[in-house]
Amino acid sequence: MWVLAVILIVALLIPVAAILVDSPLGKSFARRMEEGRGGGGGDGQGPPELRDVKRKVDLLETEVEDLNRSVAGMREELQFMQRLLEDPHRKKPTS
């Protein structure tokens, strides 16, 4: 019985881990880990202004990705609402 419970928990944790890794939170964590190692595509010893600009660009890219996801979700909701509001008695054209 316990073996089945462990297998079920592991099976459920795999998709949850995949979702977390692909989320903005996971990407932010990976970016911080990369910066902590001194990575990030350079030596990490640039001028403070350059580091600030890089940080701001990263934040803006994350925000743009979030906004794109929101717009896509709103498009889907709008299409769904339009389908709901269509006249059910109107015949659809057949090809």
Side-chain angles (χ1 to χ4, degrees):
M1 180 68 183
W2 287 104
V3 174
L4 220 56
V6 169
I7 291 172
L8 182 63
I9 289 173
V10 170
L12 291 176
L13 285 179
I14 291 172
V16 170
I19 290 169
L20 288 176
V21 168
D22 194 36
S23 72
L25 181 65
K27 290 177 183 177
S28 173
F29 181 72
R31 198 175 306 122
R32 286 182 188 228
M33 294 298 292
E34 179 96 9
E35 289 173 2
R37 286 191 287 148
D43 58 0
Q45 300 299 324
E49 297 85 15
L50 186 60
R51 286 189 301 235
D52 287 342
V53 169
K54 182 182 182 318
R55 182 181 55 83
K56 288 178 183 178
V57 167
D58 288 342
L59 288 172
L60 287 172
E61 286 176 346
T62 303
E63 289 295 322
V64 167
E65 289 173 1
D66 291 343
L67 288 172
N68 281 334
R69 277 195 293 276
S70 295
V71 167
M74 287 183 202
R75 266 194 201 118
E76 291 175 6
E77 290 175 11
L78 179 63
Q79 289 173 352
F80 177 74
M81 291 300 292
Q82 285 176 339
R83 284 192 303 260
L84 284 177
L85 294 173
E86 284 180 353
D87 186 12
H89 301 294
R90 186 182 65 147
K91 293 189 177 195
K92 294 185 180 182
T94 56
S95 317

